[in-house]
Amino acid sequence: QVQVVESGGGLVQAGGSLRLSCAASGRMFSINAMGWYRQAPGKQRELVATMNNGGSTNYADSVKGRFTISRDNAENTVYLQMTSLKPEDTAVYYCHVVTRVRNYWGQGTQVTVSS
């Protein structure tokens, strides 16, 4: 019943911007944190950015200064504003939801940055 749905991915030119959105819905325990991970073919999934309920954030070094995570706690929604995109940002981006009991993953949204 729990759904984690991402949107906003697509194809952009290097230097461009995208805004990803993720909404968690359905019956679940209270959310403690939400974030974004990404995975390129043949690579391990890696953390991009996370935010807990108090607003504390973590960013991968590779995206600091370019990506911004934000949340709407009332709507169980998390966003990722991506600017100055680089070809190496190309990956499937997954929304991650952390609750007291278990975690949830979205199905992913493709981000492709062309040079």
Side-chain angles (χ1 to χ4, degrees):
Q1 192 66 28
V2 173
Q3 293 189 89
V4 179
V5 180
E6 304 102 331
S7 62
L11 173 65
V12 297
Q13 299 288 323
S17 299
L18 282 175
R19 185 173 186 256
L20 305 183
S21 300
C22 170
S25 63
R27 185 176 179 85
M28 69 183 79
F29 290 91
S30 297
I31 294 173
N32 292 336
M34 301 183 75
W36 295 92
Y37 290 69
R38 66 187 182 187
Q39 187 169 24
K43 305 285 288 185
Q44 289 187 306
R45 190 172 298 186
E46 65 177 355
L47 181 147
V48 177
T50 63
M51 179 180 284
N52 67 15
N53 290 358
S56 296
T57 59
N58 287 311
Y59 291 94
D61 288 342
S62 60
V63 307
K64 287 179 180 176
R66 300 188 298 119
F67 292 8
T68 302
I69 188 170
S70 60
R71 283 179 62 189
D72 183 338
N73 292 346
E75 296 185 1
N76 291 340
T77 302
V78 64
Y79 306 93
L80 186 68
Q81 180 67 51
M82 305 184 292
T83 63
S84 301
L85 282 162
K86 305 174 181 179
E88 50 262 45
D89 295 317
T90 295
V92 177
Y93 284 69
Y94 295 92
C95 182
H96 186 230
V97 180
V98 179
T99 74
R100 293 286 186 133
V101 178
R102 63 173 294 177
N103 302 336
Y104 302 92
W105 292 95
Q107 66 182 17
T109 184
Q110 177 72 47
V111 172
T112 302
V113 184
S114 64
S115 58

